[in-house]
Amino acid sequence: RHSNALAIIMGTTISSTFTTRTTQRQRTKIELLGDKFPFSDTELLQLIACFRHLKQENSSCFTSVTDDEHDSCYSFLLNLAKAIDDRNTSTKCNNEDTNSSSNAVKKNPDRMDLLKSADAILRPSNFGPSFQDICLDTSAAAACASSSSSAFDPANNYHKNNNEDNLQEDVELEIFLNAIACCGRRGSRAALKMIHGLCCRSPSCGSGNNGSSSNACTATTCTAQDLMLLCHRLAIASDVLSEQKEDEMQDRSRRKSSSLEQIQRCIIADDDDHDDDLSIILPKGLVQSLITYAQKHRQQQQQFSYNFDPAPPSSTHPQHSSTTPGNNDDSEIVQKAKHITLEEFTLWAESTAPTLSATLSTFVHHLLFPRVPHPPSRTPFQYPNIVDQHSAFFSGNGTTDSDKYHPLLFTYACMSPALMGNWFRLYTTDTDGLSFNRLQHSLLGYGGPTLLMIRAADDASNDDASNCFGAFTGHAWKESAHFYGNSDVFLYQAQPCVGVHRPRGNSTNYMYCNSHSRSKGYDGLAHGIGFGGSNTTDQPPRLFIPESFEQCVASSRDLTFEPGLLLPRNSNGTLQKYFELDALEVWGVGGYEVVQEALSDRVKQRDIRQANIQKARKVDKAQFLDDFKSGLIESKAFVHREQMRGRDGANACADDE
């Protein structure tokens, strides 16, 4: 490491007398921090410089910000980004006498505009102030310093000559670094805990919907709606910031203006004043799934407590009243389930939305380390991209931001990393019609992961498409009378309540594709595409689309996948098994490179199939004529010769000739 660069970044003064001693303390500090926090030396130097900048600025605004932008200039996120730009600018300038603050804004105006858009998107969720309280918790730092519980070992040489103020500053620095590390570098559970803690600090958790304190959130709970809105806004803000990495410089100005103008009502709207517009970006399926999980989790805990409570029954014991658990205060359990604890949120996210924590880590990485690749051990969150492709399940064709950031797309991205990035539509009933030949033609030979999206006809009149379900598979499709595939396959329900049903290891009946044209007579097999269950006509697969597209099946359990609903219940609460198809789409997913490679595989398979057909059409004319003459091929073309041989004298005349 260069001593001068280290000293400049750490905010110290270079002198010929104390250079060696100063740089030695700095190296010791970096080594101690590197052992404790999951950052590289370069990242630590950048974060330390950012922390010192925030301490010096003390939440001051940009010097180049105009008066009409005065409200946004005090944002913690913008000050954080300004510190990063100032540090990068000062490093590039190599100690030139320039105004780093104004220089950063002038040299990279696109980044500043994108940051302001991201800050405006997150402002309704109160992300900036809550994140600032966690990163710069000076009260906790002062308490730690006064009790001599510093993060650094006091026996180290670095602390021998430090006074109490320096000790408190070191504790504040460690609190800042720990907050950044908990945004994804310490794993998904730490990121989920940070998301939950940010929502618990939200002003909306101050009281219930009716203003009464009985329904109010506490310091350990927050609403499911606040959690999902924050995660969705983080995903949108991450996508906005990631545009600076794309090779679409000519379209960036259009996208920036669109981010602030076209979606201002639905994304930057205040939660309390725009409830109707809020539904445009609210992932209702995820919210309902989280509430349902919390409700079942608390009912199980209550039942467990009732069965194993050693206290004898009494009229005064709250758990031994005249009513039993399960039907006692069910409405109260449902009402309380809307306020989610950290344990419930973590367990639900790990089973249903495993990529949800990546929304926070991706945003923080784009904010603090622009133009730097993500660590190999971390998967960034990428919004699904369906631009210029029509879909029956999403509004428009993804050309506007209200379509690009559809909550259903966010729901799919939370289910699996394979559902993030670019999508390619392979089949849709809107344009291809209800044709099994076209569906099979689009699937066979495609070598990448695919997503099936299904909507039942009973819900066709509902603009919100309140039922949406299907399956995902990472295995290539082929035509076979037997099941095939691997454990990457899963079934899901996206609306009205998200549920992901993964393989449970009891069976390998993952996926199935068999057409009637392969059968020679009646074979007793189901003809169509399906997942799980069996493949007979009497017992079709759990999720089955027959060749006729009639009497489709979507049952709630089988031996291959976890039990759970695919179709919503009837109005009387009974389960549905059969449905009439309203819309079906198949998308190639996995990102741009995966989709392009899979499409190339499909082209090659089609070329091979076409070559085999052409080869079968070619006939050896001489051999064909011999087959006719020998009678191998039935024909009347040479029957007259046999007839002539049977007449009197016909053979002798033929011999003489």
Side-chain angles (χ1 to χ4, degrees), residues 578-626:
Y578 300 97
F579 67 95
E580 295 298 326
L581 188 67
D582 173 64
L584 170 65
E585 290 185 355
V586 182
W587 291 83
V589 297
Y592 178 79
E593 295 181 356
V594 175
V595 169
Q596 292 302 316
E597 183 178 357
L599 290 174
S600 300
D601 293 340
R602 189 177 67 173
V603 172
K604 293 178 182 178
Q605 290 292 330
R606 289 179 177 179
D607 292 341
I608 294 173
R609 192 182 306 115
Q610 188 66 24
N612 292 333
I613 294 175
Q614 293 296 333
K615 183 178 179 180
R617 290 176 178 175
K618 292 182 180 180
V619 179
D620 188 348
K621 295 181 180 179
Q623 182 65 36
F624 186 71
L625 184 60
D626 292 341

Side-chain angles (χ1 to χ4, degrees), residues 382 384 409 412-413 415-421 423 450-451 472 490 589-590:
Q382 292 180 314
L409 286 173
Y412 280 118
M415 292 183 184
S416 172
L419 297 177
M420 298 188 292
W423 289 13
T450 52
L451 176 72
F472 166 82
F490 65 81
V589 297

Side-chain angles (χ1 to χ4, degrees), residues 620-639:
D620 188 348
K621 295 181 180 179
Q623 182 65 36
F624 186 71
L625 184 60
D626 292 341
D627 292 340
F628 264 115
K629 291 181 179 181
S630 65
L632 183 63
I633 299 178
E634 296 182 1
S635 176
K636 296 181 179 181
F638 298 95
V639 175

Side-chain angles (χ1 to χ4, degrees), residues 288-289 292 296 415 467-470 491-502 542-543 554-558 561-570 573-577:
Q288 185 60 40
S289 176
T292 303
K296 292 181 179 179
M415 292 183 184
N467 78 70
C468 178
F469 57 96
L491 306 179
Y492 72 87
Q493 183 188 57
Q495 290 177 336
C497 180
V498 174
V500 181
H501 317 303
R502 307 185 189 275
R542 174 177 175 179
L543 177 61
S555 56
S556 59
R557 61 178 61 249
D558 71 310
F561 299 98
E562 297 172 342
L565 296 179
L566 297 178
L567 285 169
R569 294 179 180 270
N570 288 320
T574 59
L575 296 176
Q576 300 186 72
K577 182 178 180 181

Side-chain angles (χ1 to χ4, degrees), residues 274-460:
H274 299 272
D275 293 337
D276 295 337
D277 296 333
L278 189 63
S279 62
I280 301 176
I281 66 164
L282 179 64
K284 298 179 181 178
L286 291 173
V287 173
Q288 185 60 40
S289 176
L290 180 54
I291 293 176
T292 303
Y293 180 87
Q295 178 183 351
K296 292 181 179 179
H297 185 262
R298 296 179 188 184
Q299 287 177 344
Q300 292 175 356
Q301 287 184 333
Q302 185 178 8
Q303 184 70 33
F304 181 83
S305 176
Y306 175 78
N307 292 334
F308 295 95
D309 192 350
S314 63
S315 58
T316 59
H317 200 284
Q319 295 184 355
H320 297 280
S321 57
S322 58
T323 58
T324 61
N327 55 15
N328 179 27
D329 297 335
D330 282 346
S331 60
E332 183 179 355
I333 294 177
V334 173
Q335 183 65 24
K336 289 183 178 180
K338 295 181 179 179
H339 302 294
I340 310 299
T341 64
L342 175 60
E343 180 186 6
E344 295 165 348
F345 177 57
T346 302
L347 295 176
W348 170 84
E350 289 177 344
S351 61
T352 305
T355 64
L356 192 66
S357 61
T359 57
L360 177 61
S361 60
T362 304
F363 172 75
V364 172
H365 183 87
H366 287 319
L367 181 69
L368 298 178
F369 309 110
R371 302 184 181 275
V372 177
H374 286 263
S377 59
R378 299 288 180 263
T379 301
F381 189 92
Q382 292 180 314
Y383 222 95
N385 187 2
I386 61 166
V387 175
D388 299 330
Q389 298 181 90
H390 172 74
S391 173
F393 293 84
F394 312 111
S395 302
N397 57 359
T399 55
T400 62
D401 283 332
S402 58
D403 302 333
K404 180 180 178 181
Y405 300 127
H406 197 282
L408 189 56
L409 286 173
F410 173 73
T411 301
Y412 280 118
C414 292
M415 292 183 184
S416 172
L419 297 177
M420 298 188 292
N422 287 64
W423 289 13
F424 182 83
R425 193 194 67 214
L426 301 174
Y427 172 84
T428 176
T429 52
D430 274 8
T431 57
D432 298 321
L434 293 173
S435 171
F436 189 80
N437 288 334
R438 292 184 179 180
L439 173 61
Q440 194 176 34
H441 182 69
S442 66
L443 291 177
L444 296 181
Y446 185 82
T450 52
L451 176 72
L452 271 71
M453 302 172 58
I454 304 172
R455 184 171 65 216
D458 294 341
D459 198 56

Side-chain angles (χ1 to χ4, degrees), residues 483-484 507-512 530-535 558 560-561:
F483 281 94
Y484 57 93
S507 174
T508 58
N509 293 353
Y510 296 117
M511 53 191 296
Y512 175 80
F531 300 85
S534 182
N535 61 344
D558 71 310
T560 305
F561 299 98

